[in-house]
Amino acid sequence: MGAKAMGARVRRMEDPELLTGRATFTDDIHLPGMLEAAFVRSTEAHARIRGIDKAAAESMPGVFTVVTAADLPPGLRTVRVPFQVPNPAITQPFQQRLLEDEEVCFVGEAIAMVLAETRYQAEDAAAAVEIDYEILPTASDCRDALAEGAGLCHAGSENNLCAEFKLGYGDAAGAFANAEHVFEAALWSHRGAGLAVENRAVVAEPDSLRDVVTLWSATQSPFLVKQNVVDMLDWPSDRLRVIAPEVGGGFGPKTVYYVEEALIPLCAMTFDRPIKWIEDRRENFVATNQERDQYWDMALACDGEGKILAVRGAMIHDTGAYMPWGIISPYISATTVPGPYVVPAYELTTRVALTNKVAVTPVRGAGRPQAVFAMERLLDRAADGLGIDRAEIRRRNFIPADAMPYSFGLIFRDGKPMTYDSGDYPRCQAEALALADYDGFADRRKTAEAAGRHVGIGIANFVEGTGLGPFEGATVRVHANGRITVYTGGGDSGQGHWTTLAQLCAEPLGVDPSDIAVEVGDTGKIANGIGTFASRIAVNAGNSVHLAATSVREKAIKVASHLLEAAEEDLDIEDGRIFVKGVPEVSTTLRDVARAVRGMPGFSLPGGVEPGLESTEYFSPPQAAYCNGTAVVEVEVDPDTGHVEILNYAMAHDSGNLINPFIVDGQVHGACAHGIGNTLLEWMGYDDDAQPVTTNFADYVLPSAPGVPRIDVVHVESPTPNNPLGVKGAGEGGTIPALAAIVAAVEDALSPFGVALDDVPILPGRLAALVADARARAG
Amino acid sequence: MADRRRISVTINGDTYEREVETRLLLSDFIRHECELTGTHVGCEHGVCGACTILLDGITARSCLMLAVQADGHELLTIEGIAPNEDELHPLQQAFMDNHGLQCGYCTPGMLTTLLEFLRDNPDPTEQEVRIAISGNLCRCTGYQGIVDAALDAAGRLRAEAGA
Ligand code: FES
Ligand code: FES
């Protein structure tokens, strides 16, 4: 029944369509007269374009046209992607053009678009477009890029430093000057590409009669796409409708807006033909945003008991050639370091480097896994140096549960002071340790050692700001036939929004979730929206649905009280019927109320309500809701091959109240697997000339089923006081502590060799080499 | 002019006769010529497994085959797994009951791969299931729901066979 929908393990309503192949993804759309697009992309990391010869390509079979910058309307030739998230720390906010014909700054940058009758013909012609490049010096490694005399990412700029900022609070210098102990770490943390199994995809259908275009895009954020396309093309906003149909995974890179999303509708409009563009996997590696390298030089000051006095350091972040998402990722990294610990003083200088690579924008975790890696490595160093158990040193430094809400002097990316709203960090770690049988590990290690096996255990904690504003909205509508539909703006790329939002709508309306349809990700269905990223939909859209459904309930009761001539407070709703409590036969239905409020010509509406049994609410959270958790990972390492086997993976996760634990568990499992991949397999490589060297699934390895263990999850539920449902985001928490916990476990397993691990990923070859070095040193 | 051939392919019991370019990938034939778009394409280089179909009962990567190679053969795709419009196959039902899919993009390949695997290994261990799907990438689920679904489906199919 409806009343128990919140918190129930409801099966997903989106599954039957997906399981039978009936669901519609962007590439499943076939329109009459549709042209197919293929892109000519830069093969050089940095070059001046001396000439583009498209004559041969244009005369090839099936080719409709080849579009370069020179073919664009004059006003659009040099227009650049709107700067989506400005920040005063950014001094050189380079943004990409629709098509480049002067200076290309990364391999994969779009130079020309071929339109042909079939994709095969478009690709043939794309290969025949000749580009005359004059090769320019490159910036590849982000540390080298900031050195004096480095090759410039953009010719004519002063240097490759595009942003610098210092964050902190308290007297770090004083704390370090007087500290009993200081522990240092120089770390490389790398994260790879998002790599949804579905690549990006765009279809545009023009309607010249009405002067409008419908754009289907495999995006997480149809409203952001629409906003950017109309801004960039200078279109009236009602010319464009953006629909995110089924989307085959997002993981961050599909949040951000890309030039193809403007070029395809522009050309569809110009040539009055529907156009489809489907990114291929290689393009996805070179032309879809990624996360990449951060280099951290960090130090932790503490007393003899391991109590933290201060943390300070410097970080260099590789942002690529353009910065569509500004400095969101490194900013989040910088604010994530203190985490769940009492850190009395903190200071971090971040420098952001331009490099000749595709842009860095958030990938699941969004800069946090790297920061947690830094903080947790420091704590492990301190624990080992002081001879304190790694769990114990964390216990001594946790922010106690009764200190909530807790502020400590940082400003988060939402511009608000960081105030942890709720959470019980000591309990979360305790639950994870219990789940992992941490106390039994010493015995397990003994048994393993006796058999000549190397096992280790690692712990990592994190706090994550989720549910960021500005808002999301929802319309709840009871149709005149009694059917109920929820509309909201953010797309769904596997999160199960239909199911969770239906659960939230079902409760106030006293119906079953299966009675409700949910339509997401269509700018034609609701006036305003943002998108599905930053673990924000449960908080923003969830609360909007809750508020809208509650107001529909109130309206239904008000109207029913007129229809039934009963007092509002005597009425209740169940199974779609509104009835007088205790006299269930005196009743009406949501359907009849919906009909009554359509209005009858000449009569006033019952109860003086507004027309339509529907309500639209936009929920704006006052600040982020802080999710937290602990990962405890046990591994076995083969010191000869560097192979790491995860024996046990325990995760305690607190994302506030759970709407549907069945779905949240899946989010946590998937997020942990993403973190496992980032730690043990995934490396997005570039050579010294910034040429990408891992552009297929053989060179860039994703985790597969045998390498991902069963993830044991325990939920701690600390509701946030900052939204009516008490929910926090749950989509990224699993990824965030994975890097730190797994690396700690591997280092622990290799402790007999004295190998210190400062880098992530730890690929097998590198690990085996470190062990070999250590063995050689030991003689 | 591109070389073209007439082919006839049976997919989910229906026969599709088309004249196609010899270089047309089987995946594109299924998706765009026959408009059976439930089979997905994630890499077109044989690694992700999303495009897996059954060709005469044996799994094949449709992105690594040409349409002309399927001439005269019988294919099964995700659209042909359920017994009818309103009912799910036990494997599909197990996916739904065990949260074996999130975005659903890898699902066609997972289902076809497991259909073959469970036919040949009705009572597998968890490790055997993991190895069976090791050539199918899923970025969403961490595989746990898929593995649980496969084991659950094995039980259901055994019960059905025994009944
Ligand atoms: S699309 Fe065929 S294996 Fe990836
Ligand atoms: S469910 Fe999204 S890739 Fe598997």
PDB file of all heavy atoms in Angstrom, chain B residues 6 18 33 40 44 49-50 63 68 74 76 96 115 131 136 150:
ATOM      1  N   ARG B   6      22.343  -9.780 -51.435  1.00  0.00           N
ATOM      2  CA  ARG B   6      21.023 -10.032 -50.838  1.00  0.00           C
ATOM      3  C   ARG B   6      21.179 -11.093 -49.773  1.00  0.00           C
ATOM      4  O   ARG B   6      21.786 -12.129 -50.024  1.00  0.00           O
ATOM      5  CB  ARG B   6      20.059 -10.535 -51.920  1.00  0.00           C
ATOM      6  CG  ARG B   6      18.931  -9.596 -52.130  1.00  0.00           C
ATOM      7  CD  ARG B   6      17.709 -10.137 -52.802  1.00  0.00           C
ATOM      8  NE  ARG B   6      16.545  -9.911 -51.937  1.00  0.00           N
ATOM      9  CZ  ARG B   6      16.089  -8.718 -51.599  1.00  0.00           C
ATOM     10  NH1 ARG B   6      16.697  -7.619 -51.990  1.00  0.00           N
ATOM     11  NH2 ARG B   6      15.028  -8.599 -50.820  1.00  0.00           N
ATOM     12  N   ARG B  18      17.105  -8.601 -46.999  1.00  0.00           N
ATOM     13  CA  ARG B  18      17.554  -7.242 -47.309  1.00  0.00           C
ATOM     14  C   ARG B  18      18.734  -7.321 -48.267  1.00  0.00           C
ATOM     15  O   ARG B  18      19.496  -8.295 -48.247  1.00  0.00           O
ATOM     16  CB  ARG B  18      18.049  -6.518 -46.050  1.00  0.00           C
ATOM     17  CG  ARG B  18      17.030  -6.316 -44.945  1.00  0.00           C
ATOM     18  CD  ARG B  18      16.099  -5.132 -45.243  1.00  0.00           C
ATOM     19  NE  ARG B  18      15.310  -4.788 -44.067  1.00  0.00           N
ATOM     20  CZ  ARG B  18      14.235  -5.433 -43.637  1.00  0.00           C
ATOM     21  NH1 ARG B  18      13.797  -6.509 -44.285  1.00  0.00           N
ATOM     22  NH2 ARG B  18      13.569  -5.039 -42.564  1.00  0.00           N
ATOM     23  N   GLU B  33      18.798  -1.827 -39.872  1.00  0.00           N
ATOM     24  CA  GLU B  33      18.073  -2.353 -41.027  1.00  0.00           C
ATOM     25  C   GLU B  33      16.807  -3.063 -40.555  1.00  0.00           C
ATOM     26  O   GLU B  33      15.751  -2.895 -41.141  1.00  0.00           O
ATOM     27  CB  GLU B  33      18.945  -3.334 -41.817  1.00  0.00           C
ATOM     28  CG  GLU B  33      20.205  -2.712 -42.414  1.00  0.00           C
ATOM     29  CD  GLU B  33      19.906  -1.736 -43.536  1.00  0.00           C
ATOM     30  OE1 GLU B  33      18.990  -1.994 -44.334  1.00  0.00           O
ATOM     31  OE2 GLU B  33      20.589  -0.683 -43.593  1.00  0.00           O
ATOM     32  N   HIS B  40      22.589  -3.622 -28.153  1.00  0.00           N
ATOM     33  CA  HIS B  40      23.308  -2.353 -28.021  1.00  0.00           C
ATOM     34  C   HIS B  40      24.753  -2.449 -28.489  1.00  0.00           C
ATOM     35  O   HIS B  40      25.328  -3.534 -28.545  1.00  0.00           O
ATOM     36  CB  HIS B  40      23.266  -1.881 -26.565  1.00  0.00           C
ATOM     37  CG  HIS B  40      21.887  -1.556 -26.098  1.00  0.00           C
ATOM     38  ND1 HIS B  40      21.523  -1.597 -24.775  1.00  0.00           N
ATOM     39  CD2 HIS B  40      20.763  -1.197 -26.787  1.00  0.00           C
ATOM     40  CE1 HIS B  40      20.239  -1.264 -24.664  1.00  0.00           C
ATOM     41  NE2 HIS B  40      19.757  -1.023 -25.867  1.00  0.00           N
ATOM     42  N   GLU B  44      32.237  -1.478 -30.427  1.00  0.00           N
ATOM     43  CA  GLU B  44      32.518  -1.909 -31.800  1.00  0.00           C
ATOM     44  C   GLU B  44      33.935  -2.430 -31.961  1.00  0.00           C
ATOM     45  O   GLU B  44      34.497  -2.383 -33.047  1.00  0.00           O
ATOM     46  CB  GLU B  44      32.236  -0.775 -32.809  1.00  0.00           C
ATOM     47  CG  GLU B  44      30.755  -0.460 -32.900  1.00  0.00           C
ATOM     48  CD  GLU B  44      30.463   0.682 -33.851  1.00  0.00           C
ATOM     49  OE1 GLU B  44      30.908   1.824 -33.584  1.00  0.00           O
ATOM     50  OE2 GLU B  44      29.804   0.439 -34.861  1.00  0.00           O
ATOM     51  N   GLY B  49      30.842  -6.360 -25.023  1.00  0.00           N
ATOM     52  CA  GLY B  49      29.861  -7.445 -24.965  1.00  0.00           C
ATOM     53  C   GLY B  49      28.404  -7.015 -25.078  1.00  0.00           C
ATOM     54  O   GLY B  49      27.508  -7.856 -25.102  1.00  0.00           O
ATOM     55  N   ALA B  50      28.140  -5.704 -25.139  1.00  0.00           N
ATOM     56  CA  ALA B  50      26.742  -5.244 -25.174  1.00  0.00           C
ATOM     57  C   ALA B  50      26.007  -5.739 -26.410  1.00  0.00           C
ATOM     58  O   ALA B  50      24.794  -5.897 -26.413  1.00  0.00           O
ATOM     59  CB  ALA B  50      26.688  -3.719 -25.120  1.00  0.00           C
ATOM     60  N   CYS B  63      29.085  -6.970 -33.321  1.00  0.00           N
ATOM     61  CA  CYS B  63      29.922  -5.891 -33.875  1.00  0.00           C
ATOM     62  C   CYS B  63      31.169  -6.448 -34.551  1.00  0.00           C
ATOM     63  O   CYS B  63      31.885  -5.722 -35.223  1.00  0.00           O
ATOM     64  CB  CYS B  63      30.321  -4.897 -32.792  1.00  0.00           C
ATOM     65  SG  CYS B  63      31.613  -5.485 -31.686  1.00  0.00           S
ATOM     66  N   VAL B  68      26.520 -10.094 -43.842  1.00  0.00           N
ATOM     67  CA  VAL B  68      26.489 -11.162 -44.856  1.00  0.00           C
ATOM     68  C   VAL B  68      26.902 -12.518 -44.270  1.00  0.00           C
ATOM     69  O   VAL B  68      26.490 -13.560 -44.776  1.00  0.00           O
ATOM     70  CB  VAL B  68      27.383 -10.825 -46.079  1.00  0.00           C
ATOM     71  CG1 VAL B  68      26.776  -9.687 -46.889  1.00  0.00           C
ATOM     72  CG2 VAL B  68      28.814 -10.489 -45.648  1.00  0.00           C
ATOM     73  N   GLU B  74      20.133 -18.353 -37.948  1.00  0.00           N
ATOM     74  CA  GLU B  74      19.062 -17.958 -37.025  1.00  0.00           C
ATOM     75  C   GLU B  74      19.651 -17.208 -35.844  1.00  0.00           C
ATOM     76  O   GLU B  74      20.565 -17.690 -35.174  1.00  0.00           O
ATOM     77  CB  GLU B  74      18.352 -19.202 -36.493  1.00  0.00           C
ATOM     78  CG  GLU B  74      17.461 -19.809 -37.519  1.00  0.00           C
ATOM     79  CD  GLU B  74      16.337 -20.623 -36.878  1.00  0.00           C
ATOM     80  OE1 GLU B  74      16.001 -20.392 -35.704  1.00  0.00           O
ATOM     81  OE2 GLU B  74      15.817 -21.494 -37.583  1.00  0.00           O
ATOM     82  N   LEU B  76      19.039 -14.929 -32.209  1.00  0.00           N
ATOM     83  CA  LEU B  76      18.143 -14.558 -31.116  1.00  0.00           C
ATOM     84  C   LEU B  76      18.690 -13.281 -30.487  1.00  0.00           C
ATOM     85  O   LEU B  76      19.877 -13.197 -30.162  1.00  0.00           O
ATOM     86  CB  LEU B  76      18.070 -15.669 -30.054  1.00  0.00           C
ATOM     87  CG  LEU B  76      17.080 -15.356 -28.935  1.00  0.00           C
ATOM     88  CD1 LEU B  76      15.643 -15.679 -29.357  1.00  0.00           C
ATOM     89  CD2 LEU B  76      17.414 -16.101 -27.657  1.00  0.00           C
ATOM     90  N   MET B  96      15.125  -8.511 -12.761  1.00  0.00           N
ATOM     91  CA  MET B  96      14.277  -7.498 -12.130  1.00  0.00           C
ATOM     92  C   MET B  96      14.267  -7.683 -10.611  1.00  0.00           C
ATOM     93  O   MET B  96      14.345  -6.715  -9.867  1.00  0.00           O
ATOM     94  CB  MET B  96      12.865  -7.632 -12.704  1.00  0.00           C
ATOM     95  CG  MET B  96      11.925  -6.593 -12.166  1.00  0.00           C
ATOM     96  SD  MET B  96      10.577  -6.298 -13.319  1.00  0.00           S
ATOM     97  CE  MET B  96       9.541  -5.272 -12.285  1.00  0.00           C
ATOM     98  N   LEU B 115      21.948 -16.691 -21.062  1.00  0.00           N
ATOM     99  CA  LEU B 115      21.018 -17.676 -21.613  1.00  0.00           C
ATOM    100  C   LEU B 115      21.794 -18.900 -22.107  1.00  0.00           C
ATOM    101  O   LEU B 115      21.459 -20.046 -21.799  1.00  0.00           O
ATOM    102  CB  LEU B 115      20.271 -17.031 -22.790  1.00  0.00           C
ATOM    103  CG  LEU B 115      18.806 -17.343 -23.001  1.00  0.00           C
ATOM    104  CD1 LEU B 115      17.986 -17.144 -21.748  1.00  0.00           C
ATOM    105  CD2 LEU B 115      18.257 -16.454 -24.125  1.00  0.00           C
ATOM    106  N   ILE B 131      32.945 -15.720 -14.280  1.00  0.00           N
ATOM    107  CA  ILE B 131      33.805 -15.960 -15.437  1.00  0.00           C
ATOM    108  C   ILE B 131      32.976 -15.932 -16.728  1.00  0.00           C
ATOM    109  O   ILE B 131      33.396 -15.378 -17.745  1.00  0.00           O
ATOM    110  CB  ILE B 131      34.579 -17.285 -15.263  1.00  0.00           C
ATOM    111  CG1 ILE B 131      35.610 -17.094 -14.136  1.00  0.00           C
ATOM    112  CG2 ILE B 131      35.271 -17.716 -16.554  1.00  0.00           C
ATOM    113  CD1 ILE B 131      36.242 -18.362 -13.622  1.00  0.00           C
ATOM    114  N   ASN B 136      31.704  -9.256 -20.551  1.00  0.00           N
ATOM    115  CA  ASN B 136      30.620  -8.274 -20.687  1.00  0.00           C
ATOM    116  C   ASN B 136      30.836  -7.184 -19.652  1.00  0.00           C
ATOM    117  O   ASN B 136      30.807  -7.447 -18.451  1.00  0.00           O
ATOM    118  CB  ASN B 136      29.265  -8.946 -20.426  1.00  0.00           C
ATOM    119  CG  ASN B 136      28.914  -9.981 -21.475  1.00  0.00           C
ATOM    120  OD1 ASN B 136      29.533 -11.047 -21.536  1.00  0.00           O
ATOM    121  ND2 ASN B 136      27.963  -9.678 -22.310  1.00  0.00           N
ATOM    122  N   ALA B 150      21.718 -14.179 -12.019  1.00  0.00           N
ATOM    123  CA  ALA B 150      22.056 -15.401 -12.759  1.00  0.00           C
ATOM    124  C   ALA B 150      21.867 -16.637 -11.883  1.00  0.00           C
ATOM    125  O   ALA B 150      21.312 -17.653 -12.331  1.00  0.00           O
ATOM    126  CB  ALA B 150      23.499 -15.321 -13.264  1.00  0.00           C
TER     127      ALA B 150
END
